[in-house]
Amino acid sequence: MDSNNLSETYLKRGLYLALTPLILLSASVWFTSDSVAIILASTFHIYLYAIFCYLFGYLYSQSIHFDASILRNLSIYIFFLTCLGILLTYFYNPPLGLTTSLIGLWVIIFLKIPEKIKRFFPIWFEEFTYKINVIACICIIIMLTFWLNPYSEPLTNYLKDGTL
């Protein structure tokens, strides 16, 4: 096994492990009581935006290292997406913040990466980032479904209690 395959294995394993809490939190809200589910959903928001902050920092550091303005612009886009999502989640309501994040991730999915950037990353990296992005979008959709559930009405309970 050469060093490229080894780094690919470690990177993929690390990113899948980083997304595991996101998947578990998005699924666990359906199997707990409403009061605990609201706390788990709030933890989901915190963890999601922590991942976005990490992604922003990583892309920004890579843009400085490779001197690529496209990566820098993408990292600034993720930074604004994170800030907007946090502000809307905290000051207005969680589904609006998640919807903003979901639309922002969909924009990234359909964004074409220029050839200049592709040469800095391995060939498998673009496909892998697409898979990670789809997993994150599915988790966000599941969490949106929880918040907008008409039977248990967690959003009404959240807005009534006023706690995040």
Side-chain angles (χ1 to χ4, degrees):
M1 179 180 272
D2 64 14
S3 64
N4 288 336
N5 289 340
L6 193 59
S7 65
E8 175 184 351
T9 302
Y10 286 139
L11 179 66
K12 285 183 177 181
R13 185 179 303 149
L15 286 175
Y16 283 135
L17 284 175
L19 283 180
T20 301
L22 202 67
I23 295 167
L24 292 176
L25 286 168
S26 65
S28 66
V29 296
W30 296 100
F31 304 111
T32 57
S33 66
D34 290 339
S35 59
V36 174
I38 289 174
I39 294 170
L40 290 173
S42 299
T43 307
F44 174 87
H45 289 275
I46 293 168
Y47 191 74
L48 177 70
Y49 295 126
I51 288 176
F52 282 177
C53 287
Y54 175 78
L55 184 62
F56 157 70
Y58 177 75
L59 288 176
Y60 191 76
S61 68
Q62 294 300 312
S63 71
I64 292 172
H65 179 69
F66 292 127
D67 193 32
S69 63
I70 298 167
L71 275 179
R72 190 173 305 115
N73 293 340
L74 182 61
S75 68
I76 291 170
Y77 170 78
I78 291 172
F79 175 73
F80 284 128
L81 180 68
T82 304
C83 291
L84 185 63
I86 289 171
L87 291 174
L88 289 174
T89 298
Y90 188 73
F91 291 114
Y92 191 66
N93 65 24
L96 190 59
L98 282 178
T99 303
T100 304
S101 300
L102 182 65
I103 291 170
L105 286 176
W106 280 343
V107 167
I108 292 174
I109 285 177
F110 297 114
L111 188 70
K112 294 295 180 193
I113 299 174
E115 293 298 321
K116 182 180 176 184
I117 298 301
K118 287 182 182 179
R119 67 182 169 158
F120 294 121
F121 296 108
I123 296 169
W124 55 267
F125 192 74
E126 185 177 0
E127 180 182 320
F128 181 66
T129 54
Y130 176 77
K131 288 179 185 179
I132 294 295
N133 201 344
V134 168
I135 291 171
C137 286
I138 290 170
C139 290
I140 291 173
I141 290 171
I142 291 170
M143 194 56 67
L144 274 171
T145 306
F146 165 73
W147 280 116
L148 301 175
N149 185 357
Y151 298 109
S152 62
E153 297 180 342
L155 186 59
T156 305
N157 295 334
Y158 168 79
L159 293 175
K160 182 172 51 175
D161 292 341
T163 58
L164 177 64

